[in-house]
Amino acid sequence: MTATKPAAAPEPGPTSEPAAATKPAAATAPDVPRSALADTVLDRLTTVYPAAGNPFRAQEMVAYMKGAAPFLGVRTPERRALSRTVLEGLPRPDEADCTAVALRCFALPEREYHYFAVDYLRRHVKRCSSGFLPVARHLVTTDSWWDTVDHLAAHVVGGLVAADPALAARMDEWIEDEDLWVARTAILHQLRFKESTDADRLFAYCLRRAADTDFFLRKAIGWSLREYGKTAPAEVRAFVAAHGGALSPLSVREALKHLGEPGTMGT
C-alpha cells in the first residue's frame, strides 16, 4: 500500500530523501510560559487526536517520513478537521499563548502535534513579535525534517522577518549555522516575499552554501531561486548564468525548472 503524505509542505518533499543527518546537539529549550489557553488547547488536543489514530497508517507515515518521528496515524484532512474542533470557541492567542502551545506540542513525540503547532503559528504569526524568533529556531531544530522546517521557514520565520526587517541580520547568522536545517531556513525564509525579496541577500546565501554537499541545502538553494524566478526571471537567469559553475547541478536544475536554460528564452 502506498504511503500517504501526512502533511502539506510549501512544495512536495524530495522523492529520494537521504536518511536523516546527524545533527548538532540541541540548545536548551526556551521556557514555556504559563497560559490558560494553552492548557485548554493541549487538553483537547491530546484527547481528540489519539482517539482518531490508526496504528497501521501510523507505520506508513513513519516510513514515508524516513523515521523522523512517530505518528498517531491521522491523515491531514481529518487532522485539520479535528483541529477546528479543538479550537472551537477559543479566543485568539497572544505571543505567550503561541509560545506555550508550540513548545508543548513539540515536546510531544507524535508528529501530528507538531503539525498542529505549525498550523497554529502560521495562522497567528502576526500576533508574535521579533522576540519569538528564538522559539522558532528551537522548533526548527526539534526533530527536524522538511515537513515541519519548510513551513516554519516560509511562514513563521519569514513572517517575523517581514514584520521586522532588522531580523535579517539574524538570518545572516543562521546561514552560517552548522545545523543544516537552520541554514536551510535562512535560505527559504524569503520564499513568499515576491517583490519584497532582498535579492542580494538571497543570492549571497545561495553562494555561501553552494559548496555544501547536503541534499537539503542544495534543494533549498534551487527552490528559493525558482520561487524568486517567478517574480524576477531575468535576474535569476543572470545569477545562474554567472554562478552556475559554483552551484550544484541539483540547484541549477531546480532554479531553472520553469525558466529554461540561460539564453534559451526570449527577453
Side-chain angles (χ1 to χ4, degrees):
M1 182 173 180
T2 302
T4 300
K5 184 175 177 179
E11 75 161 11
T15 57
S16 57
E17 301 162 355
T22 301
K23 296 166 73 277
T28 303
D31 292 335
V32 180
R34 298 182 66 177
S35 165
L37 176 57
D39 290 343
T40 300
V41 169
L42 268 293
D43 284 347
R44 292 182 180 184
L45 190 63
T46 54
T47 299
V48 170
Y49 269 25
N54 181 310
F56 178 72
R57 191 179 303 138
Q59 293 178 358
E60 293 181 331
M61 291 176 169
V62 169
Y64 180 86
M65 297 308 300
K66 309 294 185 181
F71 281 82
L72 295 168
V74 183
R75 297 194 192 280
T76 297
E78 183 181 7
R79 175 177 59 79
R80 288 186 170 149
L82 293 172
S83 296
R84 289 191 290 272
T85 299
V86 168
L87 297 173
E88 186 175 3
L90 297 182
R92 290 196 291 178
D94 60 19
E95 183 172 331
D97 298 324
C98 289
T99 299
V101 168
L103 292 177
R104 289 176 64 178
C105 283
F106 267 71
L108 297 171
E110 291 84 9
R111 200 61 157 185
E112 288 89 345
Y113 296 122
H114 302 190
Y115 294 156
F116 176 90
V118 173
D119 286 347
Y120 195 74
L121 293 178
R122 286 182 60 173
R123 182 177 180 182
H124 298 297
V125 66
K126 290 184 178 180
R127 306 183 69 80
C128 297
S129 72
S130 56
F132 190 79
L133 189 64
V135 177
R137 190 187 193 283
H138 174 73
L139 303 180
V140 165
T141 57
T142 299
D143 297 326
S144 307
W145 202 236
W146 62 265
D147 58 329
T148 54
V149 170
D150 292 355
H151 282 297
L152 291 167
H155 297 279
V156 179
V157 175
L160 295 173
V161 176
D164 181 4
L167 290 180
R170 300 296 301 278
M171 297 299 99
D172 293 344
E173 298 171 3
W174 286 25
I175 194 61
E176 304 289 343
D177 205 279
E178 65 178 340
D179 188 313
L180 73 91
W181 297 105
V182 174
R184 180 174 167 102
T185 298
I187 295 168
L188 295 178
H189 84 276
Q190 296 192 85
L191 208 62
R192 301 173 66 244
F193 281 24
K194 299 182 179 180
E195 292 84 359
S196 299
T197 299
D198 182 337
D200 289 341
R201 180 170 267 111
L202 170 62
F203 293 154
Y205 285 6
C206 291
L207 290 177
R208 173 63 188 86
R209 303 306 296 240
D212 281 86
T213 58
D214 181 81
F215 172 88
F216 288 102
L217 289 178
R218 291 182 167 187
K219 185 71 179 276
I221 289 169
W223 181 14
S224 64
L225 292 173
R226 185 175 79 242
E227 195 64 24
Y228 184 50
K230 296 176 183 178
T231 298
E235 288 83 347
V236 170
R237 288 194 198 99
F239 174 76
V240 174
H243 301 286
L247 300 171
S248 71
L250 171 61
S251 296
V252 171
R253 184 169 63 252
E254 289 293 319
L256 299 178
K257 184 175 288 186
H258 303 302
L259 294 179
E261 296 295 333
T264 64
M265 298 182 69
T267 58

